[in-house]
Amino acid sequence: MLNCSSTVACPHNLTEERLKRGWESDESLKLIFSVVLTVMMILVMFSLGCTVDVKKLWSHLRRPWGIAVGLLCQYGLMPLIAYILATAFSLPPIQAVTVLILGCSPGGTISNLFTYWADGDVDLSISMTTCSSVFAIGMMPLCLYLYTRSWDLEQNLTVPYHTIGITLLSLIVPVAFGVLVNFKWPKQSKIILRVGSIVGVILLLVVMVAGGILIKGSLNSDITFLVITFVFPLMGHVFGFLLALLTQQPWERCRTISMETGAQNVQMCSTMLQLSFSSEQVAQVFTFPLQYGFFQTLNGFFIISADCGHPKGRSISFTRPIDLA
């Protein structure tokens, strides 16, 4: 039999070659997409900073029970769920590690926007996102080491510390400016909040459309991987809510912790994949974080809609009325 393992004509190598070319040709488009999303997210975080109550934020930091429960969900539940899913579905090594990397990533800033729309505790949400990003410096490598010890990995995993720093800056700086604007110009801050909420809707629509295109293109490739991207964030939301309820957190905090648990920093996961694997390997899994972002957005809208029907929930309003009195 002809051994084609080292020839371009080999069907397997042709597939790998197409994946590599597709990955490289999309680099410029990905860069533009990332820049646009980053700018929009900064505007959203600036507007959410206008809702922050400094006294309430300080009370969360002085008595960080809600933050502690959130961190337990973030670095206790999510890596465990990722490991169970990867093992239960018998994923190949590269896919299993990808799921685990996403599970070990800190919370995403998209949860802050959903918390605002769900009438959750925005101050707690921002505190949790910031703290989980800071803790990621030590917890990401620790969780990855603990869960990959039983796996035979050929490559070392590189934690993207520079991405963690960028995430913290893009979170803390705009929120701090929003707090300042709310303190000095409270009437104008309410207008900024409405504009930021509209930008947030546009941002989520962009993510949904991009994710939908990627999912349509991957329907014929690996249905198991696609099922995991749907189940994973949903399990994070559900188990995060149950753990918050078990620790007797108020209803408002339960909603917030649920949102924060299921929403992961997909950008950090993508960066870590590019730093840790070859272009051929990344081409096999680079859609996973974006598909996860699509489904976590879809789940977020579903949770908000379901919460509106609960006696303790409130009606959803993406652009709340402005009281200039």
Side-chain angles (χ1 to χ4, degrees):
M1 294 179 66
L2 178 64
N3 182 5
C4 68
S5 60
S6 60
T7 62
V8 179
C10 176
H12 174 74
N13 289 342
L14 278 173
T15 303
E16 293 295 326
E17 191 68 23
R18 290 192 195 101
L19 287 171
K20 186 176 178 181
R21 283 202 303 267
W23 169 256
E24 291 172 350
S25 63
D26 287 342
E27 280 298 312
S28 57
L29 185 61
K30 280 180 59 194
L31 178 61
I32 296 172
F33 185 69
S34 298
V35 170
V36 172
L37 287 184
T38 301
V39 172
M40 293 178 72
M41 184 56 71
I42 289 174
L43 290 174
V44 169
M45 296 311 300
F46 171 63
S47 65
L48 288 177
C50 295
T51 69
V52 172
D53 185 341
V54 178
K55 292 181 179 179
K56 193 174 180 181
L57 181 63
W58 177 243
S59 70
H60 284 310
L61 295 175
R62 270 195 320 133
R63 298 178 180 176
W65 306 120
I67 296 176
V69 174
L71 289 175
L72 179 60
C73 293
Q74 196 68 57
Y75 294 113
L77 276 179
M78 290 303 282
L80 179 61
I81 293 172
Y83 182 81
I84 291 173
L85 287 173
T87 306
F89 284 92
S90 301
L91 294 178
I94 180 66
Q95 293 186 353
V97 172
T98 301
V99 173
L100 189 60
I101 288 174
L102 187 59
C104 296
S105 299
T109 51
I110 200 72
S111 61
N112 308 136
L113 187 60
F114 275 125
T115 298
Y116 168 70
W117 285 337
D119 286 311
D121 192 334
V122 178
D123 304 286
L124 175 61
S125 179
I126 293 175
S127 303
M128 286 174 59
T129 304
T130 305
C131 290
S132 69
S133 298
V134 172
F135 274 74
I137 297 173
M139 292 305 297
M140 278 191 76
L142 176 62
C143 290
L144 288 170
Y145 169 75
L146 291 175
Y147 284 103
T148 58
R149 281 192 304 171
S150 59
W151 296 347
D152 185 19
L153 297 180
E154 298 178 355
Q155 64 283 318
N156 294 321
L157 300 178
T158 304
V159 178
Y161 293 106
H162 65 285
T163 306
I164 296 175
I166 293 172
T167 300
L168 286 171
L169 285 176
S170 62
L171 172 66
I172 295 173
V173 174
V175 168
F177 274 106
V179 172
L180 180 64
V181 169
N182 188 35
F183 178 73
K184 288 196 171 185
W185 305 284
K187 293 182 179 179
Q188 287 79 357
S189 70
K190 294 178 181 179
I191 299 175
I192 294 172
L193 182 57
R194 167 167 281 191
V195 173
S197 192
I198 294 172
V199 172
V201 173
I202 297 172
L203 171 66
L204 293 182
L205 287 176
V206 171
V207 172
M208 294 284 284
V209 170
I213 293 172
L214 288 171
I215 288 172
K216 183 180 179 182
S218 61
L219 282 177
N220 298 325
S221 57
D222 195 338
I223 193 67
T224 302
F225 217 28
L226 190 61
V227 168
I228 291 176
T229 60
F230 171 73
V231 173
F232 194 5
L234 191 60
M235 291 178 69
H237 289 307
V238 171
F239 285 109
F241 180 84
L242 292 176
L243 184 59
L245 210 60
L246 187 64
T247 55
Q248 299 182 342
Q249 298 296 313
W251 182 259
E252 186 182 45
R253 287 190 180 184
C254 289
R255 290 201 303 261
T256 303
I257 292 172
S258 172
M259 288 291 185
E260 194 71 27
T261 304
Q264 297 294 88
N265 192 324
V266 296
Q267 181 61 39
M268 194 170 297
C269 175
S270 299
T271 304
M272 188 167 181
L273 289 175
Q274 295 176 55
L275 290 175
S276 302
F277 300 105
S278 64
S279 58
E280 290 87 354
Q281 291 173 319
V282 173
Q284 301 174 40
V285 294
F286 80 97
T287 58
F288 178 77
L290 299 177
Q291 290 170 359
Y292 184 97
F294 171 82
F295 282 118
Q296 77 178 7
T297 304
L298 197 65
N299 290 335
F301 280 121
F302 173 76
I303 291 171
I304 293 173
S305 301
D307 184 65
C308 294
H310 194 278
K312 296 181 181 180
R314 303 178 192 175
S315 61
I316 182 173
S317 176
F318 296 118
T319 54
R320 299 179 185 180
I322 303 173
D323 180 15
L324 296 178

